[in-house]
RNA sequence: GCGCCCGUAGCUCAGCUGGAUAGAGCACUGGACUUCUAAUCCAAUGGUCGCAGGUUCGAAUCCUGCCGGGCGCGCCA
């Protein structure tokens, strides 16, 4: 029995109790959830439904709980229902009902964990979107890990997700980048507001390789601009690819300009009556929708602002048919939320169409001291540096296992020196152990067969493990709904712990001089189910699930 | 000044949108290897959940006000 079906049974038992006691059933919630109590004395699952509803129904929670318990105890698969404290229902399943889940998991395989909580949602998820003026650095790497995991978790929850990267390849930043390349090629010092660092020299040389005549052309900077940006794109894409983050769409800002989409977007906003001119500049009246001040779209010198391109990009996405646009930004951009939301509403979209997720920064430490990074000084730690130091799996895992609401401090030395402290190895090792047991079973000709006797799975370690396994789909759904993929990582750690404890206390394979018993068979099913769930959980994080370590 | 985020064990962080005696990893201490790879397990130590009020059967969680830290407040991108 899954927690979801048990919750359904709790609800129907509650409805029956309300009827028997002639109470107003309107106070019963449409859905409820059972939770896994920490203390094993409180049963396999607990429900607080009596506490939640008793007061509203004008009755005593304890008395109500007793009536619900009576109904629930009669339900299939429920072994026992106790009432504790002010009116908690502590539910114990019979072992057979609890153990069924292993078979269901194995049957579902890679799709176990999939759920329909976001079915029919058509989502555009934009993340990373780092300027193509240098390699992706740590901040961007965090979003590459978190955003990709979020995309996977939402897809597992039934959403149609297009992941997207926005290249800001128009404007002054790339001009500064081009000027820096040119200066490097000519052996001149880095220009004002330019970029430094080895990668500038590398790309400058690479440009010269593609266009040996670059310095002799009429407009050398234009050549470095065009070829350099292209090479930078290619490098970023390659790095992300190596990292396992594959975007469905790489969108160039330049295309918006080339296709006249900025004019079109402003015209649309004008139609809606939200445009005005002041001192020769064009503004969007974002204050109508709660922004602090109105925002310029076109400067008095006739140039577009960055925000104008954002408006055009927003409209472009909407016209591509997405009904929800999710945008992940670093904390240094949180000041944009007001104008972006205002713009969304100015286009006539309902609140919630645009969802902006703000992630806090990554601080790098060296010897316990913060390292100030800036592309301009060329001392950035890049995605590649991290991957070289600890590998893709460890990097993705450690970046995705924290809530995006908290800044993370990463000591790069600690990472490289104590690589094995990374919890990813704990989880991966659990997976390797399940694979090892299954491998050994196969070598010995011990097959798990078509069925098992779930009622034999009554060891406390087995019970804990089964409950952890049963929880996975709800974890995925919650991670998707809250946009918090780190929950999957934390869950994987819990599951791995439950498995390690199980394997320590419960012998799975028969000893060499013994025949396999039905207990061995049942446990082998549990091991295989655990393997599936660990692999699926790691898969959602884009981390590999090795069969040996 | 205004806005967003954070403040939980020595350190790094969870805490499933209000539940029972607040958890994990690391570090420290003591145990368990004739192993299903011990990259593991068990035990012990460690807490005024920043502070003060409020809401209620019940608060780390929700509300208000302070304190501390990070980030941001352009006709820059």
């Amino acid at each position: 029995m899954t927690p979801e079906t048990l919750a359904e049974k709790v609800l129907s038992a509650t409805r029956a109790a309300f009827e028997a006691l002639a109470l107003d059933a309107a106070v019963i919630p449409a859905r409820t959830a059972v939770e896994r109590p920490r203390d094993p004395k409180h049963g396999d699952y607990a429900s607080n439904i009596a506490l939640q509803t008793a007061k509203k129904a004008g009755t005593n929670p304890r008395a109500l709980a007793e009536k619900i318990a009576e109904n629930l105890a009669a339900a299939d698969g429920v072994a026992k229902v106790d009432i504790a404290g002010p009116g908690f229902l502590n539910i114990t399943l019979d072992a057979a009902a609890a153990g069924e889940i292993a078979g269901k998991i194995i049957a579902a395989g890679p799709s176990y964990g999939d759920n329909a909580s976001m079915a029919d949602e058509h989502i555009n998820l934009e993340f990373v979107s780092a300027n193509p003026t240098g390699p992706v650095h740590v901040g961007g790497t965090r979003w590459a890990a978190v955003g990709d995991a979020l995309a996977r978790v939402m897809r597992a929850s039934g959403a149609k997700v297009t992941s997207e990267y926005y290249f800001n390849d128009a404007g002054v930043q790339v001009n500064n980048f081009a000027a820096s390349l040119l200066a490097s090629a000519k052996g001149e010092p880095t220009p004002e507001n330019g970029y430094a660092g080895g990668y500038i020299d590398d790309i400058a040389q690479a440009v010269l390789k593609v266009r040996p005549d670059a310095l002799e052309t009429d407009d050398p900077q234009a050549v470095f601009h065009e070829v350099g940006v292209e090479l930078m794109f290619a490098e970023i894409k390659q790095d992300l690819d190596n990292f396992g983050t594959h975007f469905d769409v790489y969108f160039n800002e330049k295309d918006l300009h080339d296709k006249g989409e900025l004019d079109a977007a402003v015209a649309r906003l004008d139609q809606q009556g939200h445009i005005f001119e002041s001192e020769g500049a064009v503004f969007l009246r974002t204050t109508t929708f709660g922004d602090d001040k109105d925002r310029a779209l076109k400067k008095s010198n006739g140039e577009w602002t960055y925000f104008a391109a954002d408006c055009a990009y927003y409209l472009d996405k909407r016209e591509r048919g997405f009904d929800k646009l999710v945008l992940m930004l670093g904390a240094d951009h949180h000041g944009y939320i007001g104008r972006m939301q205002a713009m969304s509403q100015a286009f006539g979209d309902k609140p919630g169409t645009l969802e902006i997720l703000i992630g806090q920064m990554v601080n790098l430490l060296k010897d316990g001291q913060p390292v100030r990074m800036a592309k301009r000084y060329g001392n950035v730690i890049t995605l590649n540096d991290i991957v070289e130091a600890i590998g893709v799996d460890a990097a993705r895992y450690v970046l995705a296992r924290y809530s995006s609401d908290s800044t993370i401090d990463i000591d790069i030395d600690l990472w490289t020196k104590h690589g094995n402290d990374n919890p990813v190895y704990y989880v991966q090792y659990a997976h390797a152990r399940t694979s090892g047991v299954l491998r050994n079973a196969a070598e010995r000709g011990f097959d798990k067969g078509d069925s098992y006797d779930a009622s034999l799975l009554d060891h406390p370690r087995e019970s804990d493990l089964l409950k952890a396994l049963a929880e996975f789909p709800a974890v995925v759904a919650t991670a998707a709904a809250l946009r918090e993929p780190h929950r999957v990582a934390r869950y994987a750690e819990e599951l791995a712990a439950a498995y390690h404890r199980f394997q320590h206390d419960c012998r799975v394979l028969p000893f060499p001089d013994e025949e396999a018993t039905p207990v061995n068979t049942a446990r082998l099913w549990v091991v295989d189910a655990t393997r599936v769930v660990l692999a699926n959980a790691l898969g959602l994080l884009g981390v590999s699930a090795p069969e040996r370590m």
Side-chain angles (χ1 to χ4, degrees):
Chain A
M1 170 153 21
T2 66
E4 290 76 18
T5 52
L6 178 60
E8 280 300 315
K9 288 176 196 282
V10 168
L11 273 184
S12 39
T14 304
R15 287 192 206 100
F18 267 63
E19 199 170 331
L21 297 170
L23 298 169
D24 178 12
V27 305
I28 303 174
R31 280 188 307 168
T32 189
V34 290
E35 56 183 87
R36 201 150 55 104
R38 191 162 293 281
D39 188 339
K41 285 202 293 285
H42 296 147
D44 292 325
Y45 293 98
S47 168
N48 58 7
I49 192 135
L51 290 167
Q52 282 181 339
T53 54
K55 190 177 185 187
K56 288 183 201 158
T59 187
N60 176 302
R62 193 87 202 182
L64 177 61
E66 270 167 38
K67 192 69 198 163
I68 298 172
E70 194 179 301
N71 295 334
L72 191 57
D76 218 23
V78 175
K80 190 168 63 136
V81 183
D82 293 323
I83 299 161
F88 289 104
L89 295 169
N90 290 334
I91 306 158
T92 306
L93 301 183
D94 63 51
E100 287 171 0
I101 190 77
K104 287 186 181 154
I105 291 167
I106 293 168
S111 70
Y112 179 69
D114 289 1
N115 64 89
S117 60
M118 291 181 75
D120 305 323
E121 292 193 42
H122 197 186
I123 293 178
N124 180 285
L125 176 63
E126 182 195 333
F127 56 103
V128 185
S129 297
N131 284 346
T133 54
V136 178
H137 57 278
V138 256
T141 308
R142 182 177 190 182
W143 310 133
V146 174
D148 190 45
L150 181 57
R152 292 171 196 241
V153 159
M154 293 199 298
R155 287 186 186 118
S157 297
K160 287 192 176 59
V161 180
T162 294
S163 60
E164 189 150 329
Y165 186 126
Y166 180 56
F167 271 125
N168 300 121
D169 57 348
V172 290
Q173 301 280 30
V174 281
N175 289 339
N176 292 339
F177 172 67
S180 305
L181 293 177
L182 178 59
S184 166
K186 290 158 90 174
E188 292 170 0
T190 305
E192 186 99 5
N193 296 321
Y195 298 91
Y199 75 94
I200 289 289
D201 298 328
D202 294 344
I203 291 178
Q205 291 308 310
V207 172
L208 286 173
K209 211 164 184 177
V210 177
R211 290 286 300 273
D213 63 329
L215 290 170
E216 283 77 47
T217 54
D218 292 341
D219 188 353
Q221 186 166 324
V223 175
F224 278 91
H225 189 127
E226 189 195 332
V227 182
V229 167
E230 206 164 293
L231 289 169
M232 200 66 248
F233 275 0
E235 190 178 322
I236 290 171
K237 285 184 196 172
Q238 184 64 53
D239 290 350
L240 289 166
D241 220 46
N242 293 343
F243 196 60
T245 296
H246 312 290
F247 286 91
D248 296 317
V249 174
Y250 285 93
F251 194 98
N252 292 344
E253 178 187 355
K254 198 164 162 293
D255 290 346
L256 295 171
H257 292 269
D258 293 349
K259 292 178 187 163
E261 294 194 29
L262 281 78
D263 283 302
V266 173
R268 182 79 70 91
L269 291 165
D270 200 13
Q271 269 171 25
Q272 305 275 347
H274 302 305
I275 297 290
F276 69 95
E277 291 192 27
S278 171
E279 298 175 29
V282 178
F283 284 80
L284 177 63
R285 202 181 298 280
T286 53
T287 49
T288 305
F289 303 100
D291 194 14
D292 300 341
K293 56 174 75 169
D294 296 320
R295 305 292 171 175
L297 294 169
K298 192 180 260 187
K299 305 179 216 171
S300 49
N301 66 6
E303 287 176 18
W304 292 110
T305 65
Y306 182 88
F307 182 51
D310 280 340
C311 295
Y313 185 36
Y314 177 88
L315 188 58
D316 186 283
K317 283 178 182 169
R318 289 287 284 138
E319 291 185 339
R320 277 186 277 149
F322 300 105
D323 40 51
K324 178 161 256 189
L325 310 182
V326 181
L327 181 54
M328 297 182 62
L329 296 175
D332 52 342
H333 285 82
H334 81 263
Y336 282 58
I337 296 175
R339 78 195 66 171
M340 292 291 282
Q341 291 294 2
M343 175 259 282
S344 169
Q345 290 183 55
F347 274 119
D349 288 334
K350 59 175 191 283
T353 304
L354 175 65
E355 185 177 319
I356 299 178
L357 306 177
I358 294 299
Q360 301 299 313
M361 319 299 280
V362 180
N363 296 319
L364 266 194
L365 305 177
K366 203 166 171 61
D367 306 321
Q369 293 300 310
V371 184
R372 269 277 169 216
M373 293 189 302
K375 276 184 199 174
R376 298 222 308 270
Y377 305 135
N379 67 341
V380 290
I381 305 286
T382 67
L383 186 155
N384 270 347
D385 294 334
I386 298 170
V387 169
E388 274 172 33
I390 62 173
V392 171
D393 283 346
R396 286 190 71 116
Y397 191 89
V398 79
L399 289 168
R401 80 183 282 266
Y402 301 104
S403 160
S404 296
D405 283 341
S406 55
T407 55
I408 51 181
D409 295 325
I410 286 170
D411 192 316
I412 198 78
D413 295 322
L414 217 65
W415 269 21
T416 46
K417 280 181 204 151
H418 309 305
N420 279 0
D421 290 347
N422 193 315
V424 73
Y425 300 112
Y426 182 80
V427 178
Q428 287 184 316
Y429 181 55
H431 181 269
R433 289 182 101 183
T434 60
S435 305
V437 171
L438 294 163
R439 196 163 51 232
N440 294 341
E443 279 169 12
R444 290 174 49 186
F446 172 34
D447 191 271
K448 73 182 191 325
D450 299 329
S451 64
Y452 62 104
D453 183 351
S455 70
L456 299 172
L457 299 170
D458 58 356
H459 190 284
R461 297 303 196 207
E462 291 167 337
S463 173
D464 287 345
L465 180 54
L466 288 166
K467 275 180 271 181
L469 291 170
E471 215 179 349
F472 185 53
V475 170
V476 176
T478 304
L482 301 180
R483 284 47 162 152
E484 293 185 346
H486 76 276
R487 290 172 186 275
V488 174
R490 301 296 173 153
Y491 165 79
E493 290 168 33
E494 266 183 49
L495 176 59
Y499 180 76
H500 285 308
R501 282 195 284 265
F502 159 79
Q503 183 165 334
H504 188 266
D505 289 352
C506 299
R507 177 79 201 183
V508 177
L509 301 180
F511 288 99
D513 52 345
E514 289 176 4
E515 286 294 309
T517 68
V519 171
N520 296 126
T521 303
R523 285 179 174 170
L524 203 53
W525 280 72
V526 173
V527 171
D528 201 16
T530 306
R531 179 190 60 77
V532 168
V533 180
L534 286 170
N536 292 358
L538 288 169
L540 289 175
L541 299 169
V543 174
S544 72
E547 294 190 359
R548 314 172 181 264
M549 291 178 76

